[in-house]
Amino acid sequence: MRLKGNSFGIPDGSTTFSAANGTDVGGKTVTSGTRDQTFTIQNLGGTGLQLTGNPPVAISGSQASDFVVTTQPAVIVPGGGSTTFAVRFDPSAVGVRKAVVTIPHADSAANPYDFAIQGIG
């Protein structure tokens, strides 16, 4: 399994934020609008990859309510294929807002795949 944002890789367990790969979604005013970021899950294997979470992608952390998955990925990613999901940032307070995106799956010891995300309100 490989994860990308804006065509740039996001390592499993990453706590580094980058605008290039979408883990730093940038700034948004607290009083208006939202900011969306799309991520791509790639299945590097030859057989289907099953996403086992309910929902398939979850967001956690003390500021998780500022981030919501607006589009969930397919539950089965075909061998060599990919699927996408979208996260919306809608800050509830001024300042840096952080959360963790978690993708449980039925493949490898690196389960679940997770990474940190942030935005600025």
Side-chain angles (χ1 to χ4, degrees), residues 64-91:
S65 63
D66 289 353
F67 300 87
V68 64
V69 180
T70 57
T71 304
Q72 288 285 346
V75 178
I76 302 288
V77 186
S82 64
T83 185
T84 62
F85 65 96
V87 175
R88 176 168 289 156
F89 176 56
D90 187 4

Side-chain angles (χ1 to χ4, degrees), residues 4-89:
K4 290 186 172 186
N6 303 328
S7 299
F8 292 95
I10 303 169
D12 184 22
S14 177
T15 57
T16 303
F17 305 102
S18 168
N21 67 13
T23 55
D24 183 340
V25 297
K28 196 67 196 152
T29 62
V30 174
T31 57
S32 67
T34 58
R35 186 174 301 266
D36 292 347
Q37 177 63 50
T38 300
F39 298 97
T40 301
I41 299 169
Q42 296 176 316
N43 181 358
L44 303 176
T47 61
L49 170 67
Q50 182 177 3
L51 305 182
T52 58
N54 186 14
V57 175
I59 299 179
S60 62
S62 60
Q63 297 157 348
S65 63
D66 289 353
F67 300 87
V68 64
V69 180
T70 57
T71 304
Q72 288 285 346
V75 178
I76 302 288
V77 186
S82 64
T83 185
T84 62
F85 65 96
V87 175
R88 176 168 289 156
F89 176 56

